[in-house]
Amino acid sequence: MQLACPKLTIRCLLYCFGLFTAFSAWSQSIPLALSGTNQAGDKLSLVLERDQLEQLPQSSFSTHLPWLEQSATFEGVRLLTLLEHFKLSASKLKLLALNDYSVEISHDYIKQYNPLVAIKQDGQYLKVRDYGPYWVIISLNEHPEAAKTKHLANMVWQLTVIEVQ
């Protein structure tokens, strides 16, 4: 069998290979950037890979969320644990997502609701298409009052940057 247009076929193959390469890059772990000032007054700027976050003390809980059809179990590191581990002083945090969505939450809010930076949902790593790579979650089972819109807006998915202010 002879191809009618071999140049076109080669271009199609190269294009498909390029798409495959681009999408496979998204399957790699996306780092979490963390910046702020530590308790000694030194500026800190870190890029944490997923495996580095997994080395920190982990927590998990099951909760229902309005974006999911059923309750799920989330695993990851608590925001308070992250701040304490790196000795970061915070009056508030700015959380930024892949799509440039951002919110600011106070340290008091973090102490009250103890949000989790989720890495896994039901034992599977979060993917970008499934609210990952990291998702800030408050347990609605533990804090039913957090089901209000003002609290739901603080549950940043596709989290990539935490700026401690």
Side-chain angles (χ1 to χ4, degrees):
M1 177 179 166
Q2 186 173 3
L3 297 174
C5 186
K7 286 183 181 179
L8 183 60
T9 303
I10 291 170
R11 283 186 190 150
C12 285
L13 287 172
L14 289 173
Y15 177 76
C16 289
F17 179 74
L19 283 177
F20 175 77
T21 303
F23 285 118
S24 67
W26 279 97
S27 69
Q28 302 297 318
S29 173
I30 297 172
L32 178 65
L34 176 65
S35 65
T37 304
N38 67 16
Q39 293 166 350
D42 301 322
K43 295 269 185 201
L44 185 69
S45 184
L46 301 168
V47 177
L48 302 168
E49 298 293 335
R50 182 173 63 201
D51 62 335
Q52 292 173 299
L53 288 169
E54 289 181 303
Q55 297 303 312
L56 299 174
Q58 299 292 292
S59 296
S60 68
F61 58 75
S62 295
T63 191
H64 67 282
L65 295 172
W67 306 282
L68 304 176
E69 292 181 20
Q70 59 191 25
S71 185
T73 300
F74 296 94
E75 301 170 52
V77 62
R78 299 280 185 168
L79 267 176
L80 280 174
T81 302
L82 197 60
L83 295 175
E84 290 167 3
H85 180 80
F86 293 105
K87 298 176 177 41
L88 291 167
S89 302
S91 59
K92 61 183 175 179
L93 271 73
K94 184 174 184 180
L95 308 173
L96 292 103
L98 280 172
N99 66 357
D100 292 330
Y101 176 79
S102 69
V103 296
E104 288 186 0
I105 55 176
S106 70
H107 191 263
D108 290 339
Y109 186 90
I110 295 167
K111 285 176 28 182
Q112 180 178 355
Y113 292 103
N114 202 11
L116 180 76
V117 177
I119 299 169
K120 293 181 181 179
Q121 177 183 334
D122 295 328
Q124 301 295 314
Y125 288 111
L126 290 167
K127 297 177 184 167
V128 171
R129 68 175 176 241
D130 299 319
Y131 305 103
Y134 312 105
W135 188 0
V136 176
I137 298 177
I138 297 168
S139 173
L140 297 183
N141 292 358
E142 189 176 331
H143 302 283
E145 72 280 9
K148 295 178 182 171
T149 303
K150 69 179 185 176
H151 297 288
L152 296 176
N154 294 332
M155 293 193 215
V156 178
W157 58 70
Q158 297 180 339
L159 178 72
T160 56
V161 177
I162 300 174
E163 293 176 359
V164 180
Q165 303 172 341

